[in-house]
Amino acid sequence: MKKRMKQIMAVVLGMSMAAGLCACGGSGGSGKKEEGAKADSDKYEKVVFAYQTFNNVPSEEGLAEVQEAVNKITREKIGVEVELKPIAYADYNNQISLSLQAGEQIDLFESLFNFPDCVAADMAMDITELAPEFAPEALELVGEEWMKACTLDGKLYGIPVYKPLALTPMITYRKDITDELGIDMSQVNDVNDLDAVYAKVKEAHPEMTPLAPIQPGDTGLSRVYDANIDYLGDDSVAPKAVLMGDDTTVVSLFETQEFMDICKLARDWYNKGYIMKDAATTTSMSLELMSSGNYFSTIASYSYPEEDTAASLQTQWGYPTGVKILKEAYIDTSTVNMVTFMVSTNCEVPEAALKFLDLTYSDKEIVNLLIFGIEGRDYVMKEDGTVNYPEGEDAATVPYTAQLSCGTLGNFFIQYQMEGTNLESLKWEEEQNRKAATSPVMGFVFDTSPVSTEYTALANVLSQYLPGLLCGNVDPETEIPELNKAMESAGLENVIAEKQKQLDAWLAAQ
């Protein structure tokens, strides 16, 4: 069966997103050109498009040809020139925040797991009136139900990426190792079953660490709690107040037995040598670690079938790769709006920005230039319509690729598929979106502005305590009580009360 290579959606990755006031300039003009109109030379409206990439950030030379190819289309279609600004995933939040606060022009940017924070920080423009006129195809494609996840107090603040959304927690592992040791991964049905697997791997390969972190301080264990959790707009590895299961009572996750159990598991694995010793502080991401050959597995959430996820990771790691689902997918409001493109508040050309954004949902050539770059240089087209890197090249050597960002830009379903794609997987992905368990408060977006001070204080507390707890470096029996005291002092009760107040009002209005 053919396999598809798609993004590593460490997406699912938990991140603490910094919010900064947005300020961006523009090249002037109203942006209201007729469709197909072309402005005179040097009269095009300029739109700066900042997007994240999981691959290497290209050199200026590598990016220039892609940018010009995009502009040949946008000048003719919408009278706009675009400046492409790809930013490494790990650096995206900080760099966007710093750039905007410094007054650098950024007109379109992504919210990554922090949609409510972007709105509360006045980073995102209200596009309620503009979007229907200047981004109609994107709105129609995404659909009214999902667009509700980007609406607060009746105002629309962004357009979510159109892609498979049901994030499924999985273990991704070295299949050559399981084959060598005769480990049957079909018998792994939840995270606790991994203990026996890791014991066999460690015994046979004492030089190998069984579990690599996805990113610093994130072992992936925050994705496999027994209960379904709606984070109510918070980062999944730094939640301030949540809903557990179908209960609509807002609680602190850190006072639950589920959190204690996960931290105890992390501590046990750490003591046994199953977790990378400096997982809480390393600057390395999972791709680098797994490519080294010194690690056996990672835990993360993906929107794609097991085979497709394995195919994508195998290309990046350079080792035979297997994938096993650990828990069923769950969709809440944050699942929909976690990757949302927003027009910055002070953008001077919002109409032009939205017209370009609309093309990323409707123009196949545009979105594939952004993902794969220049045909023949950065990728080659195969006879079956799939693509791959030129002979002798890979994701690390071509001048430009954002292949692993497939699914985080515009319309995933018009993006080229990597060679080995199983096109039947598209049906699986659509089915997952329909059948996945859904939060009882789908569509509720929390306004963080009344407790912005508490959010800042709580984020500082969590950055101090959570990496050690989720990576097993500290004893949860003693550390969790200390965490809860610090959270209380930082104003957690105010956040819980405010979330409950807004949620109750939202429920009453339904």
Side-chain angles (χ1 to χ4, degrees), residues 211-230:
L211 181 63
I214 291 295
Q215 62 178 8
D218 183 5
T219 54
L221 290 175
S222 63
R223 295 157 182 78
V224 290
Y225 293 110
D226 287 339
N228 287 325
I229 300 174
D230 187 327

Side-chain angles (χ1 to χ4, degrees), residues 357-490:
L357 184 60
D358 201 43
L359 290 183
T360 68
Y361 291 81
S362 59
D363 190 297
K364 188 172 184 177
E365 189 173 2
I366 287 285
V367 75
N368 284 298
L369 280 166
L370 294 172
I371 294 291
F372 294 104
I374 303 299
E375 184 176 1
R377 187 194 75 170
D378 302 315
Y379 72 93
V380 292
M381 184 71 68
K382 300 297 182 177
E383 290 184 1
D384 62 357
T386 62
V387 299
N388 210 331
Y389 301 109
E391 185 175 357
E393 304 278 5
D394 58 27
T397 62
V398 292
Y400 178 97
T401 186
Q403 179 254 326
L404 292 181
S405 297
C406 181
T408 65
L409 295 176
N411 180 1
F412 165 81
F413 292 98
I414 61 173
Q415 295 168 15
Y416 296 144
Q417 307 303 321
M418 292 296 289
E419 185 177 17
T421 292
N422 173 15
L423 296 179
E424 291 298 312
S425 295
L426 293 173
K427 297 179 181 178
W428 182 91
E429 292 153 7
E430 292 175 343
E431 182 182 359
Q432 284 290 95
N433 280 345
R434 291 193 300 269
K435 77 175 187 178
T438 302
S439 167
V441 297
M442 170 62 72
F444 170 71
V445 177
F446 177 58
D447 178 5
T448 63
S449 57
V451 285
S452 58
T453 300
E454 288 89 341
Y455 255 65
T456 300
L458 291 168
N460 291 333
V461 171
L462 294 175
S463 66
Q464 176 184 349
Y465 285 91
L466 283 188
L469 283 165
L470 292 175
C471 294
N473 295 68
V474 297
D475 181 0
E477 294 281 7
T478 58
E479 198 76 358
I480 289 179
E482 293 300 316
L483 165 63
N484 286 326
K485 288 179 183 177
M487 293 286 281
E488 182 180 355
S489 298

Side-chain angles (χ1 to χ4, degrees), residues 248-276:
T248 57
T249 301
V250 181
V251 299
S252 168
L253 173 64
F254 310 117
E255 296 180 0
T256 66
Q257 188 61 45
E258 285 87 349
F259 181 71
M260 176 64 78
D261 290 343
I262 283 294
C263 292
K264 284 183 175 180
L265 180 63
R267 182 61 174 169
D268 182 49
W269 286 358
Y270 179 88
N271 287 333
K272 292 176 177 176
Y274 298 168
I275 293 178
M276 178 182 176

Side-chain angles (χ1 to χ4, degrees), residues 53-101:
T53 174
F54 287 95
N55 295 94
N56 295 331
V57 176
S59 66
E60 184 176 338
E61 295 76 15
L63 182 63
E65 192 174 347
V66 177
Q67 182 170 294
E68 178 57 24
V70 169
N71 281 325
K72 284 181 179 178
I73 300 171
T74 59
R75 292 183 193 119
E76 183 66 31
K77 281 195 168 186
I78 58 175
V80 167
E81 284 190 341
V82 182
E83 179 184 327
L84 301 181
K85 191 177 181 66
I87 300 171
Y89 175 82
D91 302 327
Y92 188 85
N93 185 61
N94 284 339
Q95 189 167 333
I96 287 291
S97 179
L98 292 172
S99 296
L100 294 178
Q101 291 182 54

Side-chain angles (χ1 to χ4, degrees), residues 273-295:
Y274 298 168
I275 293 178
M276 178 182 176
K277 291 301 182 184
D278 60 346
T281 57
T282 181
T283 58
S284 299
M285 303 287 282
S286 62
L287 175 58
E288 176 186 351
L289 296 172
M290 294 302 299
S291 297
S292 73
N294 298 321
Y295 298 85

